[in-house]
């Protein structure tokens, strides 16, 4: 009886540990990293390598309001677009998210204080959303305004078993890691993202890169942590490799724990069934 009680306690402890580990890392496992060349073909037809100023790992997206539904191609929406891509884009009190599905290019913006997350998506109590349609042929390589809305918004809900949306990594990770039951993709090798449109052509870029045109805003992701000051002779490797390695380890630990939890649950189920059969076979 002592052994049986001890065995039951051991099983309970193992189950508790697996459950705690599973709940502590699922969000990390659901954020998947992609390179530019891994994106769906329809996105690659519109998201093109940036040809200006010789920037490395830079890509360009062309969008236009002209030709859109008159209900959305309004003066108010054009002014809102100028504000989001100008004042908000360079103000730390606001967040501007850029992401793709296989059919649309999205720009979601809101004050940082208005943004929150659920297990399936993230949302804001106020802000703006712009949605551009990616035509199947992509002959002119421009996304056409499909919808523009002012007010509260919720991000599109991705899938529970695969990636449905691909984000430019300009501070989105902290938001996505709070989403615990949907998969989202982050494009890791896109260091600079340029959006060109037909609305701001007469307005100067707040912080233009060298040789860039005035209507092409450049968005850069947060800088990697700097190496502490010291003798540079001891820094013999690229420190960003460690960040990539840690993200890879954390993601795979999450997947391994989830699989382990399923295996343990199957074993416990089989054990319980065998115990029930054995119990009734004695009667």
């Amino acid at each position: 009886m002592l052994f049986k009680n001890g065995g039951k306690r051991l099983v309970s402890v193992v189950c508790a540990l697996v459950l705690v580990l599973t709940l502590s890392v699922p969000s990390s496992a659901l954020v998947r990293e992609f390179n530019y060349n891994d994106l769906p073909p329809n996105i690659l037809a519109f998201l093109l390598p940036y040809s200006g100023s010789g920037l490395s790992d830079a890509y360009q997206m062309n969008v236009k309001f002209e030709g859109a539904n008159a209900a959305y191609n309004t003066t108010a929406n054009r002014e809102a677009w100028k504000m989001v891509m100008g004042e908000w884009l360079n103000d730390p009190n606001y967040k501007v998210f850029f992401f793709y599905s296989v059919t649309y290019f999205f720009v979601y913006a809101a004050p940082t204080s208005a943004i929150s997350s659920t297990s399936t998506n993230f949302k804001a109590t106020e802000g703006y959303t712009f949605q551009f349609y990616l035509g199947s042929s992509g002959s002119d390589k421009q996304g056409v305004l499909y919808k523009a809305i002012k007010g509260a918004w919720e991000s599109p809900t991705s899938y529970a078993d695969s990636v449905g949306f691909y984000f430019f990594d300009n501070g989105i990770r902290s938001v996505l890691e709070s989403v615990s039951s949907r998969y989202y993709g982050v494009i890791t090798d896109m260091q600079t993202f340029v959006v060109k449109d037909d609305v701001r052509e007469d307005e100067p870029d707040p912080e233009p890169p060298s040789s860039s045109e005035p209507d092409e805003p450049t968005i850069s992701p947060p800088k990697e942590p700097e190496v502490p000051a010291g003798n540079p002779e001891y820094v013999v490797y690229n420190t960003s490799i460690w960040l990539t390695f840690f993200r890879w380890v954390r993601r795979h630990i999450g997947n391994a724990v989830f699989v382990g939890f399923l295996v343990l649950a199957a074993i416990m189920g089989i054990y319980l069934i065998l115990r029930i059969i054995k119990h009734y076979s004695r009667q």
Side-chain angles (χ1 to χ4, degrees):
M1 181 61 68
L2 180 61
F3 173 77
K4 291 183 178 180
N5 290 338
K8 292 179 180 177
R9 293 192 187 98
L10 178 61
V11 171
S12 299
V13 171
V14 171
C15 289
L17 288 175
V18 171
L19 182 60
V20 169
L21 289 174
T22 302
L23 294 177
S24 65
V25 295
S27 60
S28 300
L30 301 186
V31 177
R32 293 184 173 177
E33 297 182 348
F34 288 81
N35 291 325
Y36 170 77
N37 292 327
D38 297 328
L39 297 175
N42 197 49
I43 296 178
L44 295 178
F46 288 84
L47 179 59
L48 305 175
Y50 180 53
S51 57
S53 74
L55 296 172
S56 61
D57 299 325
Y59 299 90
Q60 176 175 320
M61 178 66 199
N62 298 326
V63 299
K64 62 180 181 180
F65 280 57
E66 194 65 34
N69 188 314
Y72 298 113
N73 185 14
T74 64
T75 300
N77 285 337
R78 285 172 173 260
E79 292 301 318
W81 174 258
K82 292 179 183 179
M83 181 179 67
V84 167
M85 298 299 291
E87 300 171 19
W88 285 24
L89 192 62
N90 297 282
D91 190 332
N93 294 315
Y94 296 88
K95 289 286 188 180
V96 182
F97 305 108
F98 303 90
F99 58 104
Y100 289 85
S101 70
V102 294
T103 312
Y104 295 100
F105 168 59
F106 301 89
V107 179
Y108 277 46
T112 303
S113 59
I115 300 173
S116 61
S117 301
T118 68
S119 63
T120 58
N121 60 10
F122 58 98
K123 57 186 179 180
T125 56
E126 60 178 305
Y128 293 92
T129 61
F130 299 91
Q131 186 174 342
F132 298 88
Y133 176 64
L134 308 182
S136 57
S137 62
S139 56
D140 61 355
K141 301 298 188 294
Q142 294 187 77
V144 181
L145 180 67
Y146 176 78
K147 187 178 295 185
I149 299 176
K150 175 184 178 181
W153 52 257
E154 291 188 5
S155 68
T157 301
S158 192
Y159 305 112
D161 56 356
S162 62
V163 172
F165 297 94
Y166 306 85
F167 286 81
F168 170 58
D169 190 8
N170 62 326
I172 187 63
R173 285 182 181 272
S174 60
V175 176
L176 292 183
E177 288 180 351
S178 300
V179 180
S180 59
S181 63
R182 293 293 186 271
Y183 282 96
Y184 289 92
V186 172
I187 309 172
T188 59
D189 60 349
M190 188 191 300
Q191 299 303 312
T192 303
F193 184 45
V194 178
V195 179
K196 185 175 181 179
D197 58 70
D198 60 352
V199 175
R200 297 166 300 113
E201 55 190 0
D202 295 327
E203 295 200 0
D205 186 15
E207 295 182 4
S210 59
S211 302
S212 67
E213 298 180 11
D215 61 339
E216 300 178 357
T218 301
I219 307 99
S220 299
K223 295 181 179 180
E224 300 288 356
E226 298 181 357
V227 179
N231 191 337
E233 295 179 355
Y234 294 102
V235 183
V236 295
Y237 56 85
N238 185 351
T239 56
S240 65
I241 295 176
W242 282 109
L243 297 176
T244 302
F245 174 73
F246 290 144
R247 285 197 294 264
W248 181 88
V249 169
R250 188 171 61 173
R251 183 171 67 254
H252 285 76
I253 287 177
N255 290 329
V257 170
F258 180 70
V259 172
F261 180 76
L262 292 179
V263 171
L264 180 59
I267 294 174
M268 293 298 296
I270 294 173
Y271 174 76
L272 180 61
I273 292 173
L274 293 177
R275 294 289 297 177
I276 293 174
I277 293 175
K278 184 175 181 181
H279 173 75
Y280 283 101
S281 64
R282 292 177 177 178
Q283 295 181 355

